[in-house]
């Protein structure tokens, strides 16, 4: 049986900000006890009829991306480095998206948002700083090693700098970028974008403009990408 696509009706830019949104907490993988946690990434979400939201930037200079700028489908990911569901999704489902990226059919645009506070924001800035050296995905994988989020004590400036060094990054440049207003502004802009469409829980996704909420089973995202490709070819 094909997996059902679970979507959530996010708020479109220009909608009344006072109106209630249908965003709900994230759906964890049903059989993964690692995902059981409280906070912005816990619980379930009900399927909703949802609008199409085109938040793809297709910016060739965006350091948090994979796949060609002109790919027919863009997946926008709103994530947080203190979200256990995000860690599981990155470990279990992100690899299944790679064949679509390699085939030129999918572009992934990552947006780290700090829904869990200062530790999340610091990790997001560190990942962006790694991206400026062309190493975002390696750093991202290290932050979510083995499908687990790092404990807060491993997200200090010192720990993040040490991680950069272990991956072979230029630590002097990394430290400068980590503290730079430009990187802070970029991370803030990603968080503001998520808030503008009502994506307050993590992980949240836009697959070809169709919202999907939660760390759903991998087959849900395969179906979402395949459906988006079919729409793009019409």
């Amino acid at each position: 049986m094909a997996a059902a696509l679970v979507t959530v009706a996010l708020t479109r830019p220009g909608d009344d900000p006072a109106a209630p949104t249908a965003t709900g907490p994230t759906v964890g993988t049903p059989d993964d006890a690692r995902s059981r946690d409280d906070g912005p990434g816990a619980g379930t979400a009900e399927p909703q009829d949802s609008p199409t939201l085109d938040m793809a930037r297709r910016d060739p200079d965006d350091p948090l991306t994979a796949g060609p700028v002109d790919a027919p489908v863009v997946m926008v990911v709103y994530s947080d480095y203190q979200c256990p569901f995000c860690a599981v999704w990155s470990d279990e489902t992100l690899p299944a998206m790679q064949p679509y990226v390699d085939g030129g059919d999918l572009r992934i645009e990552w947006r780290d948002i700090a829904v869990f506070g200062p530790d999340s924001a610091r990790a997001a800035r560190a990942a962006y700083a790694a991206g400026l050296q062309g190493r975002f995905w390696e750093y991202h994988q290290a932050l979510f090693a083995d499908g687990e989020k790092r404990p807060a004590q491993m997200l200090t400036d010192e720990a993040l700098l040490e991680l950069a060094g272990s991956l072979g990054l230029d630590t002097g440049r990394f430290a400068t970028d980590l503290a730079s207003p430009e990187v802070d502004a970029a991370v803030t802009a990603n968080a503001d974008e998520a808030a503008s469409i009502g994506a307050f829980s993590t992980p949240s996704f836009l697959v070809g403009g169709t919202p999907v909420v939660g760390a759903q089973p991998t087959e849900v995202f395969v179906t979402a990408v395949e459906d988006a490709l079919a729409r793009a070819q019409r």
Side-chain angles (χ1 to χ4, degrees):
M1 179 184 301
L5 179 63
V6 179
T7 64
V8 59
L10 305 181
T11 306
R12 289 170 293 185
D15 285 350
D16 180 1
T21 67
T23 29
T26 303
V27 180
T29 49
D31 58 351
D32 198 329
R34 293 179 299 170
S35 311
R36 305 309 177 199
D37 198 0
D38 295 328
T44 60
E46 295 299 324
Q48 302 281 345
D49 291 332
S50 56
T52 297
L53 300 171
D54 185 6
M55 304 304 292
R57 297 175 185 169
R58 297 186 182 272
D59 179 357
D61 296 322
D62 186 342
L64 311 186
T65 63
V69 172
D70 60 352
V73 176
V74 175
M75 173 187 288
V76 180
V77 184
Y78 299 101
S79 180
D80 187 299
Y81 286 114
Q82 283 289 274
C83 165
F85 298 99
C86 302
V88 171
W89 188 89
S90 287
D91 186 57
E92 296 182 354
T93 301
L94 183 58
M97 301 295 101
Q98 193 61 44
Y100 294 101
V101 172
D102 294 341
D105 291 324
L106 179 67
R107 176 175 174 84
I108 298 175
E109 298 186 353
W110 207 270
R111 315 266 200 273
D112 291 313
I113 59 176
V115 295
F116 283 90
D119 294 325
S120 299
R122 196 178 306 110
R125 290 196 298 272
Y128 199 98
L132 293 178
Q133 296 189 43
R135 303 293 296 279
F136 167 70
W137 293 107
E138 293 95 329
Y139 201 90
H140 168 89
Q141 185 176 18
L143 287 174
F144 278 157
D146 300 319
E148 300 281 351
K149 66 183 181 71
R150 282 192 152 208
Q153 64 266 27
M154 294 180 68
L155 296 177
T156 64
D157 286 341
E158 294 78 9
L160 293 167
L161 181 62
E162 182 179 351
L163 179 60
S166 73
L167 295 173
L169 276 71
D170 179 335
T171 54
R173 178 183 174 187
F174 180 89
T176 298
D177 288 335
L178 182 61
S180 75
E182 293 79 12
V183 168
D184 185 64
V187 170
T188 299
N190 286 341
D192 288 347
E193 176 186 293
S196 76
I197 62 170
F200 296 110
S201 60
T202 54
S204 292
F205 308 83
L206 294 170
V207 184
T210 298
V212 182
V213 66
Q216 303 294 328
T218 297
E219 60 265 28
V220 170
F221 291 91
V222 170
T223 297
V225 172
E226 292 284 355
D227 287 350
L229 282 170
R231 291 195 302 272
Q233 292 167 0
R234 290 174 188 165

